[in-house]
Amino acid sequence: MSVIDVLFPPGASQRDWVADGILAVSVTLVAIVPYITLFTIPIDYSALYALSASFTLPLALRRHAPLAMLALCTLAGVFQLLLIPVPTASLIAVPIVAYSVARWVAGHLARSVIVIGAFASVLGPMRWFAGFDNNPSADILFWGACLGAVLTPYAIGRRTREVAESRAAQVQAAEERYTLLLAEREQQTKLAEASTRAMIARELHDIVAHSLSVMIVQAEGGRAAATRKPEAAAEALDTIAETGREALHEMRRIVGVLRSDPGAAEPPNYAPMPTLHDIPDLVHRTSDRARLVVNGTPFTVPQALSLTIYRVTQEALTNFLKHAGPGAHALVTLDYGRDALTVDVVDDGEGIENPTDGGGNGLRGMYERVTSMGGTLKAGPLAGRPGFRVTASIPFRDNTPAPARRS
């Protein structure tokens, strides 16, 4: 805490000035009026009025500058002890001063009012009752009463300050928790949005890239065979039309998800849901140069795992069509193991030196899909011979499923 904050505690308002000013004027009137109307003592009243006012008017600073108030009241008290041999009504300001210092001054500086009060509690009675017979019991009583007028309001003021600080700390902690909660929610929202965007981007890439690749290959093949074998051109056009309809259907489903109500009772599917059973048709539609081999007995697997294997196969075949060359062949191997489901797509084409030269969205999407399921993905050119291989293996999270019964 800075020196300025100690001398002038923060938080005082214009209303505090008004309240403290009214308090100071009221206490001053209480300290002076009785001598005007009731009391008659053999002293200079002009000095009494001046000293009483100098002792009580600093109360106007109790909230804005409590240490300055204490210094002014202490100085006025010293002059009262020197010039007035009797206690005055202005001493009613002593408890207010003690409480104000304890309430608004932080740290050990607040104890200065106790030190000053302790000296005043001894010097005051000694000055006021110097002409009386010495009575130790009476002296102790006077000292205790004067000291109690300082200690009691001081204790109340410190307790009030501690309660206020505790409440302020609780409010600050609650505000920090609320701010942290808002930040966490915002971060979770951003992560959810990023995850959704990545998911939709993968689906769009897989759907559009594969469908367009198939359509381009079929169109080029149909054009080459149109003059020699017209029926092959018709078959190519049929394949192009079917692939386009499927791609359009899947795109409409994704657009429907984007336009759906977030508060719907049933969460929307963020992608079409092809399964392992669609892989043979996928291989067949991709090219007559692609072949599928299935090892093991097919069984029911979770929908997410089935979709992931399908999308990896789809993307690997898309890369085969784009980069392997017109004379290359691809072999898709689907292996139903005891602990994992593995798909291996290998071709004997020319390939490319850098598989990410097209942006890397395909391989990155495959990697994100497989790793999110706890699996591994290996992709790269074959060693020692032309070709490219993509292998994805995803373990089963539960026990090995039982083989599906066939009717």
Side-chain angles (χ1 to χ4, degrees):
M1 182 176 292
S2 64
V3 177
I4 299 299
D5 290 337
V6 173
L7 296 178
F8 306 99
S13 62
Q14 187 69 27
R15 181 176 298 180
D16 293 326
W17 274 118
V18 176
D20 293 343
I22 294 174
L23 175 65
V25 172
S26 300
V27 174
T28 301
L29 293 176
V30 172
I32 294 176
V33 169
Y35 296 101
I36 299 175
T37 59
L38 300 176
F39 300 152
T40 302
I41 54 178
I43 60 174
D44 183 1
Y45 280 94
S46 60
L48 184 143
Y49 299 155
L51 292 174
S52 296
S54 64
F55 195 84
T56 56
L57 288 178
L59 294 177
L61 302 174
R62 59 181 294 270
R63 179 63 181 85
H64 290 77
L67 288 179
M69 172 198 66
L70 176 62
L72 293 174
C73 291
T74 301
L75 184 61
V78 171
F79 280 103
Q80 281 201 28
L81 285 177
L82 295 176
L83 301 178
I84 302 178
V86 294
T88 65
S90 62
L91 295 178
I92 61 174
V94 170
I96 301 176
V97 173
Y99 172 86
S100 301
V101 172
R103 174 65 180 88
W104 303 113
V105 177
H108 301 299
L109 282 176
R111 299 177 185 175
S112 59
V113 71
I114 298 179
V115 176
I116 296 173
F119 280 103
S121 299
V122 175
L123 298 177
M126 291 176 60
R127 165 67 167 157
W128 301 327
F129 308 114
F132 294 88
D133 294 336
N134 292 331
N135 186 342
S137 299
D139 293 340
I140 294 175
L141 179 62
F142 292 144
W143 295 340
C146 294
L147 187 59
V150 176
L151 292 179
T152 301
Y154 176 86
I156 296 174
R158 294 310 289 180
R159 178 58 180 169
T160 304
R161 180 180 179 85
E162 292 172 357
V163 172
E165 289 178 344
S166 177
R167 290 178 179 175
Q170 293 175 359
V171 171
Q172 183 178 2
E175 291 177 350
E176 291 177 353
R177 288 195 300 270
Y178 181 71
T179 302
L180 181 61
L181 179 60
L182 290 180
E184 290 178 351
R185 288 182 178 178
E186 183 179 359
Q187 184 67 19
Q188 291 174 357
T189 301
K190 290 182 179 179
L191 291 176
E193 291 177 354
S195 176
T196 302
R197 287 196 300 269
M199 185 186 306
I200 295 175
R202 289 195 301 266
E203 294 300 325
L204 289 175
H205 177 272
D206 293 344
I207 293 169
V208 174
H210 179 76
S211 299
L212 290 180
S213 298
V214 172
M215 294 169 69
I216 291 171
V217 169
Q218 293 294 335
E220 292 177 346
R223 182 180 60 184
T227 56
R228 294 180 288 101
K229 194 176 182 181
E231 61 272 15
E235 292 178 1
L237 291 175
D238 291 339
T239 302
I240 291 173
E242 182 182 358
T243 303
R245 282 192 296 268
E246 291 181 358
L248 181 61
H249 174 69
E250 293 181 348
M251 290 289 292
R252 284 174 175 172
R253 292 190 62 180
I254 293 180
V255 173
V257 168
L258 294 176
R259 292 180 176 177
S260 63
D261 181 12
E266 296 183 359
N269 293 324
Y270 281 92
M273 292 297 176
T275 65
L276 296 176
H277 301 294
D278 299 311
I279 290 181
D281 183 61
L282 171 67
V283 176
H284 174 72
R285 287 187 291 104
T286 297
S287 174
D288 57 0
R289 295 180 284 113
R291 185 167 60 93
L292 173 66
V293 175
V294 179
N295 296 328
T297 304
F299 47 75
T300 303
V301 299
Q303 188 178 40
L305 189 153
S306 180
L307 176 63
T308 300
I309 293 295
Y310 180 91
R311 291 303 187 198
V312 169
T313 305
Q314 184 183 51
E315 178 59 27
L317 290 175
T318 300
N319 291 337
F320 160 70
L321 291 177
K322 293 168 59 178
H323 305 300
H329 296 79
L331 175 62
V332 179
T333 303
L334 187 60
D335 186 8
Y336 290 85
R338 291 186 55 85
D339 301 320
L341 184 62
T342 303
V343 63
D344 180 76
V345 182
V346 59
D347 64 66
D348 57 0
E350 300 174 359
I352 54 176
E353 296 182 0
N354 183 7
T356 63
D357 65 349
N361 292 320
L363 291 178
R364 181 169 58 191
M366 285 192 289
Y367 177 80
E368 291 174 352
R369 289 181 184 277
V370 174
T371 55
S372 67
M373 298 292 295
T376 57
L377 176 73
K378 296 180 180 179
L382 299 177
R385 59 187 179 91
F388 196 86
R389 164 167 280 162
V390 176
T391 304
S393 180
I394 302 178
F396 301 118
R397 297 186 181 276
D398 301 324
N399 295 330
T400 304
R405 296 183 179 180
R406 298 183 179 272
S407 57

